[in-house]
Amino acid sequence: MVFDKFGKDSTYLYLCFPKTIIYDNKTDALHLVERYSVDRHHSGRNLRDYRLYRFRDSLIYPKKFKIPPYQKDSFNIYYGYLLKIDNLILNNLLDKSLSPQSKGENKVYDIPINTAIKKWAISKVNDSIKGKIHFKLHNKEKGFFYKSLDIELFED
């Protein structure tokens, strides 16, 4: 969960889910993975941007990184949904969370997942708003092409 401050009775926050991407470089060439932000507002960072995280347990991520020949690597893309949550429910979720990290003015909370949390999240993010994650890929032989992945809130 990502938010900056509590509202009076309820709070707007981004409920974020990771999607693990495994990249297998099966060639003798060095491959480059580069992040592009989307939905950027003129005033700066927007929490709706897809976030490419390279380091586990850290909010720092590079704009690009390389995958050596014949190596396999993985990274997470976090996508979020803007929700309005009653502060009583939010406080209950925060009691279960790990210590928050800061990202600018925002706090990022990692909530341990259990059956009740899964049911609650699924009730808030229904199929009609899930969407897809889109990638623009480049291959020397094929040129640019696109790949879309379905979103699953919880990877097993």
Side-chain angles (χ1 to χ4, degrees):
M1 289 188 322
V2 180
F3 70 98
D4 61 349
K5 60 185 174 197
F6 280 91
K8 261 188 180 175
D9 299 325
S10 57
T11 301
Y12 282 99
L13 59 81
Y14 284 91
L15 186 60
C16 299
F17 299 88
K19 178 74 174 175
T20 301
I21 307 297
I22 299 170
Y23 189 96
D24 191 0
N25 182 357
K26 296 181 179 182
T27 71
D28 61 358
L30 187 67
H31 286 194
L32 178 69
V33 176
E34 190 166 358
R35 170 188 53 85
Y36 292 95
S37 297
V38 295
D39 293 325
R40 187 162 292 281
H41 189 266
H42 69 277
S43 65
R45 189 180 78 252
N46 186 322
L47 290 176
R48 291 177 300 188
D49 290 353
Y50 290 106
R51 302 285 182 211
L52 178 64
Y53 290 85
R54 181 77 173 128
F55 307 104
R56 193 177 294 268
D57 301 324
S58 173
L59 296 173
I60 299 167
Y61 58 100
K63 182 155 174 73
K64 54 188 165 185
F65 59 91
K66 296 174 182 175
I67 300 176
Y70 304 109
Q71 297 290 314
K72 188 184 284 190
D73 205 348
S74 68
F75 53 90
N76 286 329
I77 294 175
Y78 286 79
Y79 51 93
Y81 299 93
L82 180 63
L83 303 175
K84 185 176 182 181
I85 296 180
D86 183 274
N87 286 344
L88 294 173
I89 295 171
L90 179 55
N91 282 325
N92 187 27
L93 291 171
L94 295 180
D95 286 343
K96 296 174 175 72
S97 73
L98 304 175
S99 298
Q101 296 182 53
S102 293
K103 179 75 173 166
E105 296 175 5
N106 300 295
K107 297 283 187 206
V108 180
Y109 296 85
D110 188 9
I111 301 169
I113 303 301
N114 60 35
T115 305
I117 297 289
K118 276 187 178 184
K119 281 184 179 179
W120 174 80
I122 289 168
S123 75
K124 293 291 183 187
V125 182
N126 59 43
D127 287 342
S128 67
I129 65 171
K130 275 189 189 171
K132 291 182 178 285
I133 297 175
H134 303 287
F135 294 92
K136 182 179 180 183
L137 307 168
H138 182 263
N139 181 305
K140 285 184 181 177
E141 290 80 34
K142 297 179 185 178
F144 283 103
F145 63 100
Y146 297 88
K147 172 87 175 155
S148 295
L149 297 178
D150 290 327
I151 290 176
E152 294 297 328
L153 298 184
F154 299 98
E155 293 182 341
D156 292 328

